[in-house]
Amino acid sequence: MSTTNNNTVLISGAGLGGLCLAQALKKHSISFKIFEKDLKRSFRAQGYRLRISEFGILSLQYALSDEIWSLFEKTSAVFEPSKPGTRLSTHTAEALAAGALGGGPPPLGNVKPYTVDRTTMRDVLLTGLENELHFGKAVANYTTTDSGVTVHFTDGSSETGALLVGADGVKSPVRQQLLPEYPFLDTGMRILYGKTPISEEFEKKFLEDAQHGMALLYDDGSSDNAPKTGVLEAIRFPQGKTVEHITLPDDYIYWVMVLRKEHLPISDTEVLRLDNEASSDLAVLLTKGWHSRLKPMIELQDRTQTSTLKMSSVDPSMPDWEPVSRVTLLGDAIHNMPPTGGAGVNTALRDAADLARKIVDAGGTGNVTKATISEYENDLREFSRKWVGLSWQGGTKAFGLKPLEECEKLSI
C-alpha cells in the first residue's frame, strides 16, 4: 500500500531529535509523519538521565508550543550541583585530587541546564503527535524523483512526501543508503549503563556524599585487572508521581561504567550480545572489589534496566558530502559522538530546530530546494565538528580514549 502527500515531511525515527523536529513542524503548521520501527510506544527502555543545556534549551523553546514547553519544565528532575570532592576512588570511597579523571568539554553557557529522564522527556515530546506517529514501520530503502521521495518499509508499504529526514540513530538505514561509506569509528570502549532505585535501604547503605549531584568514579582495576571510570548522578522528582498525563519514574541513581573492550572478562562478541540480566551480572563481577559504601549502587540495581553498549563515534573530521534535495539526516544518524559532556542530545535538538527553521523560512516544503538542504547540512557539520571534537577531548581525559588513528572503522 502506498500513501502520497507531496507536501509532507517524512521522519524516520521517533527518538528525541525526530520528535523535536515533528513538534516544530506542527507548531508552524507544516505537514509531517513519523515512522518508528518499534512496534509500540514502550517497546524498549529509552534510557536514563540527560542534561539539556544552552543550545538544547533554545532549540526546544523554538520547537515546542507554550503548553508543551511548560510540561517539559514541570517534568524535569531537580538539578543538584555536585558537591566538592565528588571524584571518588571506588576502593576507598574517598575523594581524589581534582582532575584525577580529567574534565569534559567546557560549559555550554550561562543558562541553567535541565536534568531530565529520557523516557519522561520522550513522553513529553510525544504529546499531541499521536495521529502522525506510526509504529512498526522499519525503513527498507527510499527512492527519489524531482518532485518527492518515497520511503519503502519492510512490511511492504510505502509513503511519498516532499522530504525524508533520517532521525533513526546510529544504525540509520536512511544514512546507510545516502552515505554508505561515511566514516564511523569504534572507540574501543564499552559502556555499562544502569539505574538503581533510591530506596530507604539504598540511602542507608550508600555513601551519603554521592547521593546528591554528580560523582565521578575512578577504579584502577586492582581487583580485576580491568581499569575503569564511571559517573553516577541522583535523579529526583519532588513534584510527585504524575504531572498532567505524564507518569514520572521513581527517584533513582543513574550510573555508567566505561572500560576498554580488552579489559573485559569475556569476548567482545559476547559483551555486545548481553541482555539486561547478563549486563547486570557483568556489573556485579566488575565491581566486586569496590568499597562497601559504593557497592550498593550495583547490588541494588534495577536488573531490567542495565545494558552494555559499544561506544562509537563519527570521525570528528566529518567530511563534506554532496547534498540532495529530498533526503537529509539529523542527530546520531550522522554525528554520533562519545557521551562525554552530554552534547549528543543537545546537538540533535539543535539539528531538529535548525532544519525546521529553514523549512519555515523557505515558505514550506514546496519551496525547499537542494540549496536549502545544503545550507542546513553545512551548518550541521560546522556545529557538530566542534562538539564531536570536544567530546573526544573530554573522553580522552576522562576515559582514556585511544588516538583516532588507532580506532577501528565501523560499517554501520
Side-chain angles (χ1 to χ4, degrees):
M1 182 180 71
S2 178
T3 306
T4 302
N5 182 338
N6 279 347
N7 291 319
T8 300
V9 178
L10 309 177
I11 303 171
S12 174
L16 300 183
L19 294 176
C20 181
L21 173 62
Q23 289 287 357
L25 296 175
K26 181 174 182 178
K27 183 177 178 179
H28 292 91
S29 302
I30 293 172
S31 176
F32 65 92
K33 290 184 178 181
I34 313 165
F35 303 98
E36 169 55 51
K37 67 180 180 180
D38 287 350
L39 297 177
K40 57 184 180 179
R41 182 172 178 148
S42 57
F43 185 72
R44 57 193 168 95
Q46 296 293 326
Y48 316 116
R49 187 274 286 157
L50 295 171
R51 188 90 75 228
I52 309 300
S53 300
E54 184 181 27
F55 53 89
I57 293 169
L58 295 175
S59 299
L60 287 173
Q61 289 173 338
Y62 173 82
L64 303 183
S65 67
D66 291 343
E67 293 78 12
I68 296 179
W69 169 255
S70 175
L71 186 59
F72 168 78
E73 290 193 300
K74 290 176 184 176
T75 56
S76 296
V78 175
F79 174 66
E80 295 185 284
S82 300
K83 292 183 178 181
T86 48
R87 286 178 169 83
L88 301 169
S89 164
T90 60
H91 294 286
T92 65
E94 295 177 354
L96 297 166
L101 289 181
L108 302 182
N110 296 320
V111 178
K112 180 183 176 181
Y114 290 86
T115 300
V116 299
D117 176 82
R118 181 187 280 271
T119 300
T120 301
M121 182 175 174
R122 186 168 185 256
D123 286 343
V124 169
L125 294 182
L126 282 164
T127 301
L129 302 182
E130 294 81 5
N131 293 335
E132 293 86 10
L133 178 56
H134 306 272
F135 289 103
K137 292 291 186 180
V139 173
N141 56 69
Y142 63 83
T143 53
T144 61
T145 66
D146 290 341
S147 60
V149 57
T150 298
V151 185
H152 305 276
F153 300 102
T154 56
D155 64 3
S157 64
S158 62
E159 288 275 351
T160 297
L163 177 67
L164 169 62
V165 182
D168 39 5
V170 178
K171 297 182 180 180
S172 166
V174 178
R175 190 206 64 251
Q176 289 170 2
Q177 182 174 345
L178 181 66
L179 300 170
E181 302 300 324
Y182 207 67
F184 281 76
L185 303 170
D186 180 354
T187 67
M189 309 301 288
R190 300 297 177 256
I191 313 175
L192 272 78
Y193 287 98
K195 181 176 181 178
T196 304
I198 301 177
S199 62
E200 184 176 345
E201 178 186 8
F202 177 83
E203 289 181 313
K204 288 180 179 178
K205 292 182 175 180
F206 193 62
L207 184 69
E208 199 281 331
D209 283 349
Q211 293 188 32
H212 302 276
M214 179 185 290
L216 303 178
L217 302 176
Y218 178 74
D219 184 338
D220 64 7
S222 59
S223 65
D224 53 15
N225 297 314
K228 63 188 77 70
T229 52
V231 176
L232 66 90
E233 184 170 6
I235 308 300
R236 301 175 188 271
F237 299 89
Q239 58 270 59
K241 189 63 180 172
T242 59
V243 175
E244 297 182 21
H245 66 280
I246 302 295
T247 300
L248 299 175
D250 294 330
D251 296 346
Y252 63 89
I253 294 286
Y254 156 80
W255 54 264
V256 180
M257 284 190 288
V258 183
L259 67 166
R260 292 183 184 270
K261 63 180 182 180
E262 58 265 29
H263 292 147
L264 284 158
I266 56 178
S267 73
D268 196 46
T269 300
E270 293 176 282
V271 167
L272 298 177
R273 292 177 179 169
L274 296 179
D275 60 13
N276 301 123
E277 281 288 329
S279 293
S280 299
D281 290 338
L282 178 59
V284 171
L285 177 63
L286 291 172
T287 58
K288 62 183 179 181
W290 283 20
H291 192 275
S292 61
R293 297 301 305 280
L294 294 175
K295 285 179 73 172
M297 182 179 74
I298 305 301
E299 293 170 341
L300 301 176
Q301 67 184 297
D302 180 347
R303 294 178 64 86
T304 69
Q305 296 290 314
T306 309
S307 58
T308 308
L309 300 173
K310 176 187 296 182
M311 186 193 290
S312 59
S313 175
V314 70
D315 187 312
S317 66
M318 289 194 68
D320 293 353
W321 62 86
E322 181 66 23
V324 298
S325 59
R326 299 296 174 186
V327 184
T328 193
L329 303 160
L330 66 76
D332 282 351
I334 188 58
H335 53 62
N336 175 233
M337 65 187 76
T340 327
V345 64
N346 289 284
T347 309
L349 296 174
R350 183 261 172 205
D351 293 345
D354 190 53
L355 179 57
R357 186 180 290 108
K358 285 180 167 57
I359 295 171
V360 171
D361 290 349
T365 52
N367 297 316
V368 170
T369 65
K370 182 177 178 179
T372 310
I373 300 303
S374 178
E375 182 182 0
Y376 161 71
E377 291 176 347
N378 283 335
D379 290 349
L380 177 152
R381 282 189 296 268
E382 181 179 357
F383 194 84
S384 299
R385 283 171 183 145
K386 170 187 174 182
W387 288 101
V388 175
L390 287 171
S391 294
W392 269 86
Q393 290 176 26
T396 298
K397 293 178 180 178
F399 303 132
L401 294 188
K402 296 178 180 179
L404 288 172
E405 58 271 17
E406 295 181 16
C407 294
E408 298 177 11
K409 293 184 178 180
L410 287 175
S411 297
I412 54 176

